[in-house]
Amino acid sequence: MSAAFPSVRAVCRPGSFAGEKRGPPPAAASGKLASGFLGSAWKLRFGALPARRRGSSSVVVAVSDVVKEKKPKRSSSSSSDLLITKEEGLELYEDMVLGRTFEDMCAQMYYRGKMFGFVHLYNGQEAVSTGFIKLLKQEDCVVSHYRDHVHALSKGVSARAVMSELFGKTTGCCRGQGGSMHMFSKEHNLLGGFAFIGEGIPIATGAAFTSKYRREVLKEADCDHVTVAFFGDGTCNNGQFYECLNMAALWKLPIVFVVENNLWAIGMSHLRATSDPQIWKKGPAFGMPGVHVDGMDVLKVREVAKEAIGRARRGEGPTLVECETYRFRGHSLADPDELRDPAEKAHYAARDPIVALKKYILESNLASEAELKAIDKKIDEIIEDAVEFADASPIPPRSQLLENVFADPKGFGIGPDGRYRCEDPKFTEGTAHV
Amino acid sequence: MERDPLVCVMGEDVGHYGGSYKVTKGLATKYGDLRVLDTPIAENSFTGMGIGAAMTGLRPIVEGMNMGFLLLAYNQISNNCGMLHYTSGGQFKIPIVIRGPGGVGRQLGAEHSQRLESYFQSIPGIQMVACSTPYNAKGLMKAAIRSDNPVILFEHVLLYNLKERIPDEEYVLSLEEAEMVRPGEHVTILTYSRMRYHVMQAAKTLVNKGYDPEVIDIRSLKPFDLYTIGNSVKKTHRVLIVEECMRTGGIGASLTAAINENFHDYLDAPIVCLSSQDVPTPYAGTLEEWTVVQPGQIVTAVEQLCK
């Protein structure tokens, strides 16, 4: 293969926990464009995990093989061998189905002209959101980017609030002022929703800093809030990513950096943009563990997440987790998605995280088909209700335009008559001339 | 910092070094390395970190070692600092103070002599103030820290050595008000930061020549205090703006527009705006001197205006 790639052991792993065999590696993702320079995609998916090293610095490079050792045998009926309890299994299933159904409804609503602008859907990546966020407490913070609907839902923001926000109504979680790419919730500690990639990572670092500050300066000894920052493969070539890895490791901030590596940044293949595509390796360069995990498998993600979040809670510092995942739809609803190889898409579609979890639950006798179907139905009702609610909600009035520009509206200044502009009751219907 | 444990400082060399202009001297010894945080050289990220900390309950003060370095933090200042209170529908407030020395110094070269007021002024959601005396520096800093809005506080490299008697008891100034420096009758001179001193120097000359200028230090660069300014315009009917900012799109340009819009009927002459030249600040001393407005030019302008 290409000499431009580092030498890699192509380890062919025996498939996901559900026992599915992976097919042979498909043609390179950028098959038509493959050249010695660009390398090929399958090498990334099937190899590149060094043996676990111990004893050298405190940096440990974990591999998802570790998780596999805990995997139950398929025929085991002893519940102590299983990775999850029934309640957990149903919770994970419900959360992923909520995410998937919501996003599918978004697509429908978009094409019906109910929501506008740039809408980025999360189909296929649910295992990452569910795997991490379902382990968090309400006080823990989540920072996302523009593909944030499902992060919001997993964190606890109601489907009604998210759908209303997408419709641009006042009942939205951000009063209709944020939109698809700017989901915020103070109640659930969702710190956004950012349109520029990378700009949320320093915010997450700041939230982790506050947690450490509370513990050490304000002496709130039991403050162990963790922050999880989600971002994509494209962001990993951005300066803010590296600057924050440095600061987080330097000050041992309670943060987990989660890379949702879906191999594509709009139309730019990760391999065409990155000199060393193995993102997890960049963690140890800064003094934190770097972990690579199969992001299509919610149970594997959850195991890695437990360890990473646990590390942060104990004050041991940050972790970089690279989740190999895939988005089934285009980058956004406006993306014709012409560059991705259909074979690659089919390969990942076969590893649908929801299908896989369902199979696991049924085969491990954690729940019955009927119970899962009941969850499907419940979610359908929730989503329908969310759409109805959003439809019925009022659109923002003119007076809302100037609200919330400043936390303290004195910031609009003193008008020619000597009074603060905000003291005029009709101010928000006027203009913000300063 | 003593009053409120949530107040913290972050920036390059603010801790052990005491700040590049010694503004934070002694604070790290008193309050510890976490409250007075020495950051690595990563302006965009540590400003963003300050914003994230502000969103989650702290009240950070971010120092740009030189205001010019904050250009690297423009992404965070514009997108996150200014916008997040609005795009979150009012859920998160960002009580951050971003401060640092700026302006033209003594032959520091183009990149260390930047006048960034104009660059930041259009960002919705932030307030900008410029201090000029020890008295208003302390008052404005306190006000900025206590404000729930994000505030950019412009200090000036050449004004750190000023000495002044200031009250022992605590005082807080208003972020939105301008300061009447010298009441007068003939002409309103609006200025801020270091140019205040050039204006006062010119005022001495003008008084000797029989003029009576009214000098106002606008202090609040965004929003403008149109009450103080308006009252002055209504009295003198002539306006001269003296600023260190560039002419193009500067504070003076905005102020000219605001006064024209609001007080057009009261003007006897077009507003004159003296700004620094639209050049990168040259190193050579003479060239640097011609870049900024000098007292002689102010005197000439007033004489012209009052003809």
Side-chain angles (χ1 to χ4, degrees):
Chain A
M1 279 291 165
S2 159
F5 256 28
S7 70
V8 148
R9 278 190 346 247
V11 174
C12 200
R13 282 175 296 179
S16 72
F17 57 71
E20 287 179 76
K21 268 234 171 302
R22 285 197 202 145
S30 49
K32 297 187 280 289
L33 309 169
S35 70
F37 177 72
L38 296 170
S40 69
W42 71 264
K43 252 192 188 168
L44 175 68
R45 280 196 288 284
F46 287 89
L49 297 173
R52 188 172 189 163
R53 277 178 303 192
R54 286 189 180 281
S56 53
S57 64
S58 58
V59 169
V60 168
V61 177
V63 291
S64 37
D65 282 349
V66 173
V67 175
K68 265 199 338 189
E69 284 155 25
K70 292 196 224 156
K71 206 177 55 176
K73 300 190 191 10
R74 282 179 57 190
S75 54
S76 165
S77 56
S78 158
S79 58
S80 60
D81 281 354
L82 297 176
L83 287 168
I84 45 172
T85 64
K86 174 176 177 171
E87 290 76 33
E88 288 167 350
L90 293 182
E91 185 193 10
L92 297 179
Y93 181 78
E94 183 172 332
D95 194 53
M96 290 206 287
V97 170
L98 175 64
R100 178 70 61 87
T101 316
F102 188 92
E103 297 292 69
D104 284 339
M105 183 59 79
C106 279
Q108 267 195 58
M109 292 296 114
Y110 189 82
Y111 294 126
R112 280 194 212 170
K114 296 283 180 76
M115 60 178 82
F116 305 92
F118 292 129
V119 179
H120 308 83
L121 299 181
Y122 202 74
N123 299 47
Q125 298 181 196
E126 295 86 1
V128 181
S129 177
T130 301
F132 271 93
I133 300 182
K134 283 304 165 195
L135 290 171
L136 297 177
K137 304 187 287 198
Q138 182 150 356
E139 301 82 33
D140 294 325
C141 296
V142 165
V143 173
S144 176
H145 48 98
Y146 50 70
R147 207 178 296 282
D148 57 352
H149 307 168
V150 179
H151 294 139
L153 294 170
S154 291
K155 195 62 173 62
V157 184
S158 72
R160 280 184 167 194
V162 183
M163 191 62 83
S164 294
E165 183 60 32
L166 292 168
F167 282 29
K169 304 290 179 85
T170 44
T171 47
C173 53
C174 300
R175 305 181 78 201
Q177 289 166 196
S180 167
M181 300 184 280
H182 303 285
M183 294 287 167
F184 287 83
S185 168
K186 185 148 178 91
E187 187 192 339
H188 299 281
N189 287 299
L190 173 67
L191 303 182
F194 294 93
F196 285 24
I197 58 160
E199 70 180 2
I201 306 178
I203 301 287
T205 310
F209 178 80
T210 301
S211 175
K212 184 179 167 89
Y213 189 96
R214 281 193 195 284
R215 188 154 43 181
E216 296 183 15
V217 175
L218 301 179
K219 307 291 186 219
E220 292 171 22
D222 54 353
C223 178
D224 60 355
H225 304 162
V226 165
T227 305
V228 180
F230 292 95
F231 46 93
D233 43 287
T235 310
C236 296
N237 291 325
N238 187 275
Q240 289 174 98
F241 169 62
Y242 297 107
E243 290 173 2
C244 290
L245 284 184
N246 177 45
M247 293 197 291
L250 182 65
W251 298 317
K252 282 206 159 64
L253 299 181
I255 184 171
V256 183
F257 296 101
V258 180
V259 183
E260 295 171 318
N261 184 355
N262 58 21
L263 301 176
W264 290 88
I266 308 189
M268 189 64 165
S269 150
H270 177 56
L271 303 169
R272 290 183 68 217
T274 316
S275 55
D276 184 349
Q278 297 170 309
I279 301 171
W280 60 269
K281 270 203 222 163
K282 301 182 187 188
F286 287 91
M288 70 177 80
V291 185
H292 177 274
V293 68
D294 175 1
M296 304 305 277
D297 179 334
V298 68
L299 297 181
K300 284 195 186 135
V301 171
R302 192 179 154 91
E303 288 306 302
V304 169
K306 266 190 208 162
E307 177 55 26
I309 293 172
R311 255 180 63 84
R313 266 201 225 293
R314 293 188 296 268
E316 292 165 24
T319 313
L320 175 66
V321 181
E322 179 186 355
C323 302
E324 184 197 322
T325 181
Y326 203 75
R327 52 170 164 82
F328 294 159
R329 290 183 182 263
H331 163 74
S332 72
L333 289 173
D335 174 18
D337 196 14
E338 289 158 346
L339 286 178
R340 301 194 298 173
D341 187 359
E344 180 188 81
K345 293 192 212 180
H347 169 82
Y348 280 101
R351 288 163 60 186
D352 186 330
I354 296 178
V355 169
L357 180 65
K358 183 169 179 176
K359 193 155 187 222
Y360 178 84
I361 289 177
L362 293 176
E363 284 174 359
S364 315
N365 292 317
L366 280 173
S368 67
E369 179 93 38
E371 283 171 301
L372 296 182
K373 280 225 160 14
I375 291 180
D376 289 344
K377 184 161 182 302
K378 174 180 162 194
I379 296 296
D380 280 337
E381 282 165 15
I382 291 178
I383 301 297
E384 296 249 349
D385 167 76
V387 172
E388 274 166 27
F389 176 79
D391 255 337
S393 294
I395 52 175
R398 175 73 169 83
S399 56
Q400 194 182 311
L401 182 64
L402 296 180
E403 292 170 9
N404 307 136
V405 177
F406 289 105
D408 179 355
K410 296 220 292 274
F412 280 113
I414 302 173
D417 60 359
R419 290 191 310 162
Y420 277 97
R421 286 195 169 83
C422 56
E423 286 168 15
D424 180 346
K426 299 192 72 176
F427 169 62
T428 58
E429 290 171 35
T431 51
H433 279 168
V434 293
Chain B
M1 285 185 78
E2 194 162 325
R3 179 188 61 92
D4 184 354
L6 295 174
V7 177
C8 57
V9 182
M10 33 182 98
E12 293 159 17
D13 274 330
V14 294
H16 295 186
Y17 196 76
S20 57
Y21 286 87
K22 301 301 178 206
V23 174
T24 49
K25 183 172 168 187
L27 292 181
T29 327
K30 192 167 176 196
Y31 295 112
D33 281 348
L34 202 60
R35 271 190 91 183
V36 187
L37 187 72
D38 278 325
T39 61
I41 307 176
E43 277 78 6
N44 202 16
S45 293
F46 71 68
T47 305
M49 192 173 93
I51 295 168
M55 285 168 77
T56 43
L58 299 187
R59 303 188 81 93
I61 300 160
V62 173
E63 171 172 313
M65 189 184 257
N66 182 287
M67 275 307 226
F69 301 168
L70 292 182
L71 287 175
L72 289 147
Y74 208 97
N75 177 185
Q76 292 293 336
I77 295 174
S78 169
N79 283 7
N80 290 347
C81 187
M83 289 191 193
L84 290 189
H85 188 258
Y86 192 79
T87 50
S88 69
Q91 293 182 81
F92 290 99
K93 64 179 187 191
I94 305 172
I96 194 174
V97 179
I98 298 175
R99 48 159 292 273
V104 175
R106 296 243 184 277
Q107 297 190 252
L108 299 179
E111 290 178 11
H112 282 84
S113 314
Q114 300 200 55
R115 304 143 259 159
L116 297 182
E117 308 82 83
S118 57
Y119 295 34
F120 291 118
Q121 73 168 320
S122 296
I123 300 174
I126 57 161
Q127 283 186 248
M128 304 199 318
V129 285
C131 58
S132 49
T133 65
Y135 177 78
N136 65 34
K138 178 174 179 183
L140 290 175
M141 174 70 89
K142 278 189 181 288
I145 294 173
R146 292 174 201 208
S147 169
D148 278 346
N149 295 335
V151 179
I152 304 185
L153 173 56
F154 291 89
E155 300 160 10
H156 197 286
V157 283
L158 293 180
L159 296 183
Y160 283 115
N161 285 330
L162 292 173
K163 286 194 175 14
E164 186 184 341
R165 262 241 116 81
I166 54 177
D168 283 332
E169 61 275 357
E170 185 168 279
Y171 65 96
V172 179
L173 295 175
S174 163
L175 287 175
E176 296 87 21
E177 283 176 21
E179 181 181 325
M180 177 67 70
V181 183
R182 181 193 189 282
E185 297 288 325
H186 289 162
V187 60
T188 299
I189 306 182
L190 301 172
T191 184
Y192 64 90
S193 192
R194 179 171 170 242
M195 287 295 114
R196 167 185 173 142
Y197 295 91
H198 282 202
V199 167
M200 291 312 287
Q201 204 179 326
K204 273 198 212 130
T205 315
L206 287 167
V207 164
N208 286 341
K209 290 190 178 191
Y211 294 94
D212 186 21
E214 175 153 294
V215 179
I216 295 178
D217 182 340
I218 60 173
R219 278 194 340 212
S220 175
L221 304 181
K222 180 179 162 111
F224 295 133
D225 176 1
L226 288 184
Y227 182 61
T228 310
I229 293 172
N231 285 348
S232 179
V233 174
K234 289 175 191 174
K235 185 165 60 163
T236 67
H237 311 297
R238 289 181 169 78
V239 179
L240 171 66
I241 301 173
V242 180
E243 58 167 0
E244 195 170 311
C245 209
M246 281 79 79
R247 146 82 17 91
T248 307
I251 301 290
S254 298
L255 195 47
T256 305
I259 297 174
N260 271 326
E261 252 172 41
N262 286 287
F263 308 115
H264 181 254
D265 283 339
Y266 297 97
L267 291 169
D268 281 348
I271 300 173
V272 176
C273 183
L274 293 179
S275 323
S276 67
Q277 299 294 315
D278 277 2
V279 298
T281 314
Y283 165 73
T286 43
L287 293 178
E288 186 182 70
E289 221 179 273
W290 291 322
T291 307
V292 295
V293 178
Q294 299 297 337
Q297 293 166 273
I298 302 173
V299 172
T300 315
V302 170
E303 287 173 338
Q304 288 270 340
L305 199 47
C306 289
K307 271 217 186 82

